[in-house]
């Protein structure tokens, strides 16, 4: 299971695409652009909306966190099912 670094995260690098083996797009997101909310079952949850993806296709994403000490390893690709508005 992927986890963010123990020190505060400054940036997230999000790689994404339509295949788990072809994450051909990337966006770097400062922490102040990431939405945080408390989920009743999972606790703190963070969300960033990717606006340039069609809602009718499965999407695969990989996360990497960065702070002043360096970067985490990227997560394994995670699938977000088409039309899953809860994940967006």
């Amino acid at each position: 299971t992927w986890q963010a670094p123990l020190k505060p995260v400054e940036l997230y690098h999000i790689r994404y695409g339509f295949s788990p083996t072809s994450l051909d797009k990337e966006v770097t997101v400062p922490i102040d652009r990431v939405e945080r909310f408390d989920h009743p079952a999972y606790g703190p949850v963070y969300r960033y909306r990717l606006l340039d993806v069609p809602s009718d296709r499965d999407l695969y994403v990989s996360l990497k966190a960065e702070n002043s000490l360096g970067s985490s390893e990227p997560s394994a690709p995670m699938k977000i099912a088409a039309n899953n508005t809860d994940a967006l």
Side-chain angles (χ1 to χ4, degrees), residues 14-86:
I14 304 170
R15 293 185 64 214
Y16 60 101
F18 300 114
S19 163
T21 59
S22 181
L23 305 177
D24 56 352
K25 296 183 181 180
E26 182 172 353
V27 62
T28 299
V29 182
I31 192 65
D32 62 353
R33 305 245 349 255
V34 177
E35 178 186 0
R36 180 188 187 277
F37 61 95
D38 291 317
H39 189 281
Y42 303 111
V45 176
Y46 299 88
R47 175 170 55 191
Y48 178 78
R49 293 183 186 266
L50 296 169
L51 301 176
D52 64 341
V53 295
S55 62
D56 61 344
R57 293 190 64 187
D58 291 344
L59 184 69
Y60 294 85
V61 299
S62 173
L63 302 174
K64 183 167 70 168
E66 182 179 330
N67 63 24
S68 61
L69 300 176
S71 297
S72 70
E73 291 295 318
S75 70
M78 300 169 278
K79 180 180 177 179
I80 299 175
N83 298 309
N84 181 354
T85 56
D86 290 337

